Amino acid sequence: MRGGDIESRGEKNRGSNHASSHAVEDTDTPWLSWLIPLFVVANVVMFVIVMYFNNCSKHDQGCVARFLGRFSFQPLRENPLFGPSSSTLERLGGLEWKKVVHQHQGWRLITCIWLHAGVIHLIANMLSLVIIGIRLEQQCGFVRIGIIYLLSGIGGSILSSLFIQRNISVGASGALFGLLGAMLSELITNWSIYTNKVCALLTLLVIVAINLAVGILPHVDNFAHIGGFLTGFLLGFVLLPRPQLGWMQRRNLPAGVRVNSKYKAYHYGLGLVSLVLLVAGFTIGLVLLFRGVNGYDHCHWCHYLSCVPTSKWKCGGN
């Protein structure tokens, strides 16, 4: 999952007061990004801890990179991503449906976000997080991006648990897709401040489509991607609208000119509808999950969202 600098903000200042009045506040005074680097460090540290507890060299003679001692990887036939065993991931907080539902371990919906199946999995996700997350944090601040990241990860975990009930799921992909979803809703809600709007929208849609398409391959949890993306998309309408230009420059306006509202009417409308949908989605999802409902019983075609069988591969069960 990769994302880049989708679009430069504001209009270029060519020396006139009119042009400078269209500059976007966040472009001139960007936030310092520290939360996303902290998330990267936390994920790397968690992977090291997982490998320490995995201790392949003690239990298996076919470990990869045995010179690493207890940090050596499981045999590639067991884990081709150069990582720990499934049992270790399960023991340390991987998302496992039976434990969440029948043993009331709902905390796994959160802990699984910080675990990765291997070095390849970790590097791919952390590169994506740096490329997507740092730019967003610089524009929007650490509070809003932190909320989007964490809630999107949980949203992805909930949807994944409703459908993937026989396998362990780990990774930050749901949270990362949440950031992509927030980028899309931020573009929509702040449409008027973008230049080259169509190009920005098409670029972002292509990035999202490619990453969702990768999710239909076997052994990839696309439900976590979809759940995270939808959560981030709705949160973007709630948390990422930009103030009106007049509100930002109200101190410089003539005495008789006032802007009473910080946001436009449609900002409030989109934010309210999105918040209602978000609360309803989380509530319904959690109720269905802890009742032990299998999503496939109510959506028989939904397995195509996570894996499409072809002549080259087959899709396993749920």
Side-chain angles (χ1 to χ4, degrees):
M1 182 169 59
R2 298 179 64 86
D5 190 352
I6 299 302
E7 176 68 18
S8 299
R9 296 182 159 276
E11 295 188 19
K12 294 182 180 179
N13 188 338
R14 300 182 183 276
S16 67
N17 293 332
H18 176 75
S20 63
S21 68
H22 286 77
V24 179
E25 184 179 37
D26 288 1
T27 302
D28 297 329
T29 56
W31 295 76
L32 175 66
S33 177
W34 62 268
L35 184 63
I36 294 301
L38 181 61
F39 282 168
V40 172
V41 172
N43 277 279
V44 173
V45 169
M46 280 303 305
F47 184 75
V48 173
I49 292 174
V50 169
M51 294 306 301
Y52 177 85
F53 281 99
N54 186 66
N55 196 7
C56 178
S57 59
K58 181 179 179 180
H59 308 288
D60 199 309
Q61 297 300 317
C63 301
V64 177
R66 290 187 61 86
F67 63 89
L68 295 175
R70 68 183 301 142
F71 295 98
S72 57
F73 310 119
Q74 291 297 121
L76 294 182
R77 65 179 181 277
E78 180 180 345
N79 187 342
L81 297 177
F82 297 96
S85 65
S86 297
S87 60
T88 299
L89 290 171
E90 179 182 349
R91 180 159 52 99
L92 295 182
L95 185 60
E96 209 276 329
W97 179 82
K98 290 183 179 179
K99 293 186 179 296
V100 171
V101 176
H102 298 299
Q103 299 182 24
H104 308 290
Q105 297 181 5
W107 47 268
R108 290 179 178 271
L109 296 171
I110 301 174
T111 56
C112 68
I113 303 171
W114 306 96
L115 302 176
H116 288 82
V119 173
I120 297 175
H121 189 202
L122 177 68
I123 292 176
N125 275 351
M126 292 306 99
L127 285 177
S128 299
L129 178 57
V130 168
I131 293 171
I132 299 171
I134 287 181
R135 177 180 180 272
L136 277 176
E137 186 180 355
Q138 288 173 339
Q139 290 181 337
C140 306
F142 70 92
V143 174
R144 287 178 285 183
I145 297 308
I147 292 173
I148 292 172
Y149 183 88
L150 294 176
L151 289 183
S152 296
I154 297 172
S157 297
I158 293 173
L159 190 63
S160 174
S161 297
L162 287 172
F163 290 93
I164 309 297
Q165 300 184 355
R166 297 180 184 175
N167 300 312
I168 298 172
S169 180
V170 295
S173 297
L176 292 171
F177 266 82
L179 295 181
L180 281 175
M183 289 176 68
L184 179 58
S185 55
E186 191 272 340
L187 170 61
I188 294 172
T189 194
N190 302 309
W191 185 256
S192 61
I193 68 175
Y194 276 83
T195 57
N196 299 324
K197 300 175 177 63
V198 176
C199 180
L201 179 61
L202 290 178
T203 301
L204 185 52
L205 289 176
V206 168
I207 292 173
V208 172
I210 291 175
N211 284 281
L212 288 176
V214 172
I216 66 175
L217 297 174
H219 309 301
V220 178
D221 184 1
N222 213 25
F223 288 111
H225 298 169
I226 295 172
F229 178 82
L230 292 176
T231 302
F233 182 71
L234 293 175
L235 281 171
F237 289 119
V238 177
L239 298 176
L240 302 183
R242 301 296 177 114
Q244 295 190 67
L245 177 63
W247 175 269
M248 294 177 351
Q249 297 184 342
R250 60 192 181 280
R251 295 180 180 177
N252 300 324
L253 293 177
V257 179
R258 290 290 181 267
V259 177
N260 297 321
S261 178
K262 185 175 182 179
Y263 300 106
K264 297 181 179 180
Y266 73 87
H267 285 154
Y268 290 107
L270 286 173
L272 180 59
V273 171
S274 298
L275 184 60
V276 171
L277 291 175
L278 193 65
V279 172
F282 267 68
T283 302
I284 294 172
L286 287 171
V287 170
L288 293 177
L289 173 61
F290 287 107
R291 286 184 176 179
V293 173
N294 188 326
Y296 288 120
D297 293 338
H298 303 276
C299 182
H300 301 291
W301 57 268
C302 282
H303 65 275
Y304 292 114
L305 295 176
S306 186
C307 182
V308 177
T310 68
S311 60
K312 301 296 182 180
W313 65 71
K314 297 181 178 179
C315 297
N318 62 346

